[in-house]
Amino acid sequence: MSKAISGFSKLSKTQKIQWLSDTYFSGNTETSQLLETYWNSDKKLQQLHDEFIENTITNYYLPLGVAPNFLINDTYYSIPMAIEESSVVAAASKAAKFWSERGGFKTTILGTTKVGHVHFTYNGAYEDLLDFFNRIKPTLISDALPLMSSMKKRGGGLIDIQLVNKTASLKNYYQLHCEFETLDAMGANFINSCLEQFSKSFEERFMEDIRFRESELSIIMSILSNYVPNCLVRAEVSCPVDQLSENEINGQEFAQKFAQAVAIAEVEPYRAVTHNKGIMNGIDAVILATGNDFRAVEAGIHAYASKEGSYKSLTHVHIKNGIFTFWMEIPLALGTVGGLTKLHPLVKWCFELLQHPNAKELMQIVAVAGLAQNFAAVKSLTTTGIQKGHMKMHLMNILNQLEASTSEKGKAISYFKTNAVTHSSVVTFIENLRS
Ligand code: MEV
């Protein structure tokens, strides 16, 4: 019978598992043993992972794959991808190879500005508030200087603070809209610390100002925004249409159909969501492998996809003068220092594999992984259909579900080279082998 518990966080790891086992698994020791098989035998390494979050009971594995042959701005990369979905790494690798033979990916950083807000309410005259803000703005900045000095020394820091009147959207609502340059740090801690200092100084000066005796100010919250439309990267591939020809694919027909598929995702949100999900297959996998915050990236990118008022494709195509160009611009606030980057041994390994990119370079690599993934998905969808390749890759998952032996797997792989993979066809094949 399930029940509530107080003081769960104070229990040892073993006690936590015991409580979960007694409460949810009828005291079954096998379930506890399962959790323990995922503990690392290296105690120090395990402790490191235990301490990343609270109430850790075990590790949750995801495969880490690598997609080689990514030619980005004339440099080759092998891109690490942490993802559970079969066929994503294969699709990325295929797209990488395809474009490496057609000039590779080109990328540009369009901006690196990050944003945060002090959200507050005020019930007095706007003109008084604006005048007050303009007078105390230098004080807000100087009060926060100790927090900003090391970022400033490295060439980053606060870009500007503006007072924004949001009362047309919500009664008495104003904000301090703050812009930052955080260089190679994702910047969440830096930005949030600065914002909290701004809000403290802002409130203190407001209280001291006799003009505001009759007015009320309430700081609601101070927090960075994960919407970073000016921290933007562009990734692009392009080649003459006839170079898109491959095996039985005619370049001209393929380009037209591909462009039509992207056009559909530009006008139809049902399709746009799935289209962009394919892009996120590539993006999230690299974000996870490099220890960045995929929730922040997801939220920001989907908001960007809706910036024109309806949810749209993030990628675009044009075909002009016989040249096919496929590109994407996406907001990405990433860090190559801080967070997990120096802590998680596999994240460190991934950074080494990527030749220690700075934040701008990582933005470009991540954007390319997304563009490549989308190219591969839309190419399959508009030519062979997605299931052929997907089910081939999924075959191993089905075989593992059926607990196939190594020899059964070998026979199945060779049989399904020329036969369609479906769940039931694999079940039948294995049943036949076993009978
Ligand atoms: C599956 O994970 C992703 C796709 O659905 C993307 C798409 O439809 O473009 C194949």
Side-chain angles (χ1 to χ4, degrees), residues 85 88 271 274-278 281 374 377-378 381 386 390:
E85 184 175 331
V88 168
R271 174 57 203 151
T274 319
H275 180 95
N276 290 348
K277 188 273 182 187
N281 277 345
N374 187 233
V378 176
L381 287 167
I386 206 79
H390 186 76

